[in-house]
Amino acid sequence: KWQKVHRYPFTLLTEASMNLADDKELMKMMSLANFNNVFLGIETPHVDSLKECGKLQNVSRNLVEAVRIIHRHGMQVMGGFIVGFDSDTESIFETQIKFIQKIGVVTAMVGLLNAAPQTRLWHRLKAENRLLGDPTGENTDGSLNFIPIMGKKKLIEGYKRIISTIYSPKNYYKRINTFIKQYEPTARGKISKEDLKAFIRSIWRIGILSRVRILYWKLLLKTFFTKTKAIPVAVELAIYGVHFERVTKRVLGV
């Protein structure tokens, strides 16, 4: 009611679990309150690894359909993904890539497993003499604080392959298109001067100067003709792509 009275000055985001997709009433209420983003700890499509990290609410559900349901209720899913579980084999890297591309989570935050002090995982690894020290607090810097089952070199190389693949321009824009196709925009609010300035800068920096300009214009044109209300989100995600390109270079050390 407050949002409506004040003409929706805020869009909101939150963190939730995958079983949000089961509660249509709650998702409807969130849309009415102007939520447009939700972060989910999806972690992995590998069932044994989900059981290992205690994400039992993700085990017995169709993760792809759950994400689509949330997208259809006007909220963009931002997903957390992890590799490095003891149950992970060398096939997990390709599995994660295909899974992330399929579900259309554009902002896919993929990290290496780290053992935070005093957690259940930390105590188990300590008992197994596999701890290497304290975590850096940044699970995307390519560092590990434990000895992984598959070996440190294989895990880090596989992790870098995931990042370089999902954030390659072709795959990144493919995910945006997958998301836009599923997405039903419900967020309200006015386009500000800052929004217009960001759009104009994106035209210059991405649409003219960058190597992804063709993908950028294809995205905007397709969105304009198929789902006009989603254009602000499409522009926003294109801008995010510049950030993720920097993250990829940092992870790869280039």
Side-chain angles (χ1 to χ4, degrees), residues 218-229:
K218 281 185 175 179
L219 171 66
L220 294 194
L221 287 172
K222 183 177 180 180
T223 306
F224 178 79
F225 286 111
T226 61
K227 199 166 290 185
T228 308
K229 288 184 178 180

Side-chain angles (χ1 to χ4, degrees), residues 97-115:
I97 290 168
K98 290 180 178 178
F99 178 62
I100 291 168
Q101 289 300 120
K102 184 176 182 180
I103 62 178
V105 170
V106 184
T107 306
M109 305 174 190
V110 186
L112 288 166
L113 181 68
N114 271 268

Side-chain angles (χ1 to χ4, degrees), residues 206-247:
I206 306 173
I208 296 175
L209 297 180
S210 81
R211 62 193 177 96
V212 302
R213 54 186 176 272
I214 294 176
L215 294 171
Y216 173 85
W217 288 114
K218 281 185 175 179
L219 171 66
L220 294 194
L221 287 172
K222 183 177 180 180
T223 306
F224 178 79
F225 286 111
T226 61
K227 199 166 290 185
T228 308
K229 288 184 178 180
I231 286 180
V233 176
V235 173
E236 182 181 73
L237 292 173
I239 294 172
Y240 285 178
V242 177
H243 163 73
F244 286 120
E245 185 177 353
R246 293 172 184 160
V247 171

Side-chain angles (χ1 to χ4, degrees), residues 2 53 74 115 156 163 211 240:
W2 187 94
C53 69
I156 292 177
I163 298 299
R211 62 193 177 96
Y240 285 178

Side-chain angles (χ1 to χ4, degrees), residues 152-169:
K152 181 178 179 179
K153 183 179 180 181
K154 288 181 180 178
L155 177 54
I156 292 177
E157 285 179 350
Y159 171 67
K160 289 181 176 180
R161 181 157 62 91
I162 292 176
I163 298 299
S164 63
T165 302
I166 67 171
Y167 286 116
S168 66

